[in-house]
Amino acid sequence: MKRHNRAALAVAALALVIPVSGCASLLSPHQTADYHYNAGDGAWGTVGDVEVRGLMMIMDKSGDGPAQLFFTLINKGDSSASVTIDVAGETVSETVDAGKTFVQDPESQASSTEKPIELKNLDAKPGDLIDVTVSVGGEEKTIEAQVLSDALPYYENYVPTESPSEVPSDDATSTEQAADPTEPAGDSTEPADDSTAAAEG
């Protein structure tokens, strides 16, 4: 009788293991390797000897205006790597020396550049996933990166703004309105009135 009980328990245990194993196969590395997030925000990917980390875009929460592009490139190879990033009609090229890291984040002290990258033609809203094509040498990979917004307080300083030259100032506007373009620009001295001229004569 005990042998029968043991056999029944073994069969039941086997029945439980089979479906669990089937579920695990759905999460195999081959099926989930196309898209990764790090512990924080931003997408990951590897192209040749270069690791791409923290790939993301940040725009105003309204979804209007340009977005700013962020990424980190880590060259794990023995020679310098020429990296090209294509997204939303913009192409960014950087050369990363062997064993070095390039950081595109002007707000960070670790940034390799002070110049932001603005995507003016990005047709997306916060929360969307955008295809970003990364090329290294002869290898190419498309990484899905998320569009984030300043809805998160720590991203408030990352939203691109219009440059001062594109925004007319109040002083310039008032000056233009005060000047009458129909009046000739000449000597502004007013002629003496008739009474003054007569007294001098």
Side-chain angles (χ1 to χ4, degrees):
M1 189 70 176
K2 291 183 179 179
R3 290 181 180 178
H4 290 296
N5 289 340
R6 290 177 180 175
L9 290 173
V11 172
L14 181 62
L16 289 174
V17 169
I18 291 175
V20 169
S21 300
C23 292
S25 66
L26 295 177
L27 301 177
S28 66
H30 297 291
Q31 293 169 308
T32 58
D34 291 337
Y35 187 61
H36 293 283
Y37 271 100
N38 61 4
D41 297 321
W44 284 35
T46 302
V47 187
D49 293 326
V50 176
E51 290 186 3
V52 183
R53 298 182 181 178
L55 181 61
M56 62 182 177
M57 290 145 279
I58 300 177
M59 69 188 312
D60 185 83
K61 57 179 173 287
S62 66
D64 298 328
Q68 187 174 172
L69 178 65
F70 299 87
F71 57 83
T72 296
L73 306 174
I74 304 173
N75 186 357
K76 296 293 187 68
D78 297 328
S79 59
S80 62
S82 296
V83 184
T84 301
I85 299 175
D86 292 306
V87 54
E90 297 285 343
T91 300
V92 180
S93 298
E94 299 293 347
T95 299
V96 186
D97 293 335
K100 299 297 183 179
T101 298
F102 180 92
V103 178
Q104 176 63 48
D105 181 358
E107 294 292 330
S108 170
Q109 294 182 352
S111 182
S112 305
T113 177
E114 296 180 355
K115 183 179 180 180
I117 298 176
E118 292 188 9
L119 306 176
K120 298 182 179 180
N121 299 317
L122 181 66
D123 185 16
K125 299 292 183 183
D128 290 349
L129 291 175
I130 301 298
D131 287 343
V132 181
T133 302
V134 181
S135 304
V136 180
E139 296 190 43
E140 181 179 292
K141 183 174 184 179
T142 298
I143 304 174
E144 285 187 320
Q146 191 172 22
V147 180
L148 304 175
S149 76
D150 57 348
L152 300 173
Y154 47 86
Y155 285 145
E156 290 179 352
N157 295 330
Y158 290 85
V159 176
T161 57
E162 292 182 302
S163 61
S165 60
E166 297 176 353
V167 182
S169 63
D170 294 337
D171 293 340
T173 304
S174 60
T175 302
E176 291 176 359
Q177 292 176 347
D180 187 351
T182 61
E183 292 185 1
D187 189 359
S188 60
T189 305
E190 296 181 358
D193 56 22
D194 296 339
S195 59
T196 303
E200 293 177 351

